[in-house]
């Protein structure tokens, strides 16, 4: 993947006269086919996958906005990049992808409060979130909770502006889906990840409690245990993950006409 990443960067940064358009599409189609092979992506390290996903999302946004090539060529290029990003979401380890996308979200959020790249990353996170039920045999909720906590620690510092932060809105959506899947067991994952973290949790415990609490029940219900026993998350076998990913029915809409 490292070599693919290098060539990928080169074909977009080099002068157009140095890279024939036929080669650009040949390489992108080859990359798309590789990213459609689950066993290939399973053997890519998280670091290399993070770097490539970062480059892919950046180029997808840049080509949609700046149109490096002719109009008809640019349209085909954006479609190919879009489809390749979907294959990465479908076929990569979902735990790695959640971590990678949150890392990219945090990285870009440090530079922008509102930006199209943030909206693009959020769309990818929400695509994975919608597939959580199908991925329940392989997903590790504690990793998602920890990345959510890291985002909140850094950016949920002004309560008056939290309602406008798309990252925080996304975290609430993820929590709803996780609680829907695991019910009170969510506290075990919380105890493995957020609870022992050095930065005190100001939000996730409270939000989970609200989601779990039936209407009209008092505020003491469903508080997290003071100490949650660690558990081992069973790993899904290859067949389970294949079935889960095929059920995702993903169709990522990468329209950049409106700023997120």
């Amino acid at each position: 993947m490292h070599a693919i990443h290098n060539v990928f960067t080169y074909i977009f940064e080099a002068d157009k006269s140095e890279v024939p358009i036929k080669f650009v599409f040949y390489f992108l189609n080859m990359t798309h086919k590789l990213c459609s092979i689950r066993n290939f992506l399973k053997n890519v390290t998280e670091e290399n996958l993070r770097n490539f996903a970062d480059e892919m999302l950046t180029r997808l946004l840049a080509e949609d906005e700046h149109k490096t090539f002719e109009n008809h060529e640019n349209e085909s290029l954006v479609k190919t990049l879009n489809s390749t990003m979907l294959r990465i979401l479908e076929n990569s380890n979902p735990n790695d992808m959640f971590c990678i996308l949150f890392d990219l979200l945090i990285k870009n959020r440090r530079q922008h409060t509102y930006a199209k790249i943030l909206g693009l990353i959020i769309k990818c996170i929400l695509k994975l979130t919608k597939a959580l039920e199908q991925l329940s045999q392989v997903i590790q909720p504690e990793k998602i909770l920890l990345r959510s906590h890291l985002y909140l620690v850094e950016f949920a510092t002004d309560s008056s502006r939290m309602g406008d932060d798309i990252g925080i809105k996304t975290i609430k959506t993820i929590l709803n889906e996780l609680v829907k899947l695991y019910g009170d067991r969510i506290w075990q994952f919380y105890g493995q990840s957020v609870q022992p973290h050095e930065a005190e949790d100001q939000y996730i415990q409270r939000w989970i409690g609200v989601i779990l609490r039936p209407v009209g029940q008092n505020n003491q219900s469903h508080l997290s245990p003071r100490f949650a026993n660690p558990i081992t998350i069973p790993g899904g076998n290859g067949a389970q993950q294949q079935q889960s990913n095929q059920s995702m029915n993903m169709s990522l809409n990468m329209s950049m006409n409106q700023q997120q």
Side-chain angles (χ1 to χ4, degrees):
M1 182 61 81
H2 182 68
I4 293 174
H5 182 199
N6 288 340
V7 177
F8 189 89
T9 302
Y10 170 75
I11 64 175
F12 285 102
E13 292 185 351
D15 190 280
K16 287 196 294 183
S17 63
E18 298 179 9
V19 185
I21 189 63
K22 286 187 177 180
F23 175 77
V24 172
F25 279 101
Y26 170 80
F27 179 78
L28 291 180
N29 286 328
M30 181 200 71
T31 303
H32 180 273
K33 289 179 180 179
L34 282 174
C35 291
S36 300
I37 302 173
R38 187 166 294 108
N39 285 337
F40 169 74
L41 286 178
K42 279 175 60 178
N43 291 311
V44 176
T45 66
E46 185 176 333
E47 180 181 1
N48 284 337
L49 189 59
R50 178 185 294 103
N51 292 337
F52 187 65
D54 190 11
E55 182 75 18
M56 177 69 68
L57 291 170
T58 301
R59 293 301 170 185
L60 181 54
L61 179 62
E63 293 308 312
D64 190 81
E65 287 188 326
H66 305 306
K67 303 187 184 303
T68 304
F69 301 94
E70 298 297 328
N71 285 340
H72 68 283
E73 294 171 343
N74 194 81
E75 183 178 350
S76 297
L77 187 147
V78 169
K79 286 181 178 179
T80 303
L81 291 175
N82 180 83
S83 184
T84 303
M85 190 64 215
L86 281 174
R87 302 292 82 76
I88 292 173
L89 292 175
E90 289 177 350
N91 296 314
S92 299
N93 182 305
N95 298 300
D96 288 347
M97 280 311 303
F98 265 114
C99 292
I100 287 168
L101 290 170
F102 263 103
D103 288 346
L104 295 180
L105 182 64
I106 291 171
K107 169 189 169 183
N108 285 278
R109 180 63 177 79
R110 287 169 179 161
Q111 303 171 40
H112 313 281
T113 301
Y114 300 101
K116 291 181 179 180
I117 188 64
L118 298 177
L120 189 53
I121 296 169
I122 290 295
K123 286 181 181 180
C124 292
I125 293 175
L126 291 176
K127 284 295 176 184
L128 285 179
T129 302
K130 289 178 181 178
L132 277 174
E133 185 174 358
Q134 288 75 42
L135 296 169
S136 60
Q137 296 298 315
V138 295
I139 209 70
Q140 293 177 284
E142 68 273 21
K143 290 189 174 183
I144 303 174
L145 291 174
L146 181 57
R147 282 311 199 279
S148 299
H149 175 62
L150 294 177
Y151 183 93
L152 292 169
V153 166
E154 190 158 347
F155 302 112
T157 55
D158 185 352
S159 58
S160 65
R161 303 185 64 180
M162 284 178 60
D164 297 326
D165 190 296
I166 59 174
I168 294 175
K169 292 178 181 178
T170 301
I171 288 170
K172 290 182 177 180
T173 298
I174 293 172
L175 290 178
N176 270 288
E177 293 301 314
L178 288 175
V179 172
K180 190 186 302 180
L181 272 177
Y182 298 103
D184 284 325
R185 286 185 62 212
I186 194 69
W187 294 127
Q188 295 178 309
F189 304 119
Y190 177 89
Q192 287 180 285
S193 53
V194 179
Q195 191 176 46
H197 192 265
E198 59 184 10
E200 184 180 358
D201 170 36
Q202 300 290 331
Y203 303 102
I204 293 179
Q205 177 179 333
R206 176 160 51 89
W207 291 342
I208 290 175
V210 170
I211 298 168
L212 282 170
R213 187 172 65 243
V215 176
Q217 194 160 334
N218 66 56
N219 291 337
Q220 297 304 312
S221 300
H222 295 288
L223 292 178
S224 67
R226 184 173 178 81
F227 299 102
N229 294 325
I231 63 171
T232 301
I233 310 301
N237 57 36
Q240 288 171 317
Q241 183 162 356
Q242 182 174 1
Q243 181 179 2
S244 297
N245 287 331
Q246 288 174 345
S247 302
M248 291 173 75
N249 189 26
M250 304 182 73
S251 178
L252 189 59
N253 177 11
M254 292 295 187
S255 173
M256 293 299 153
N257 295 327
Q258 294 183 342
Q259 182 167 331
Q260 299 295 323

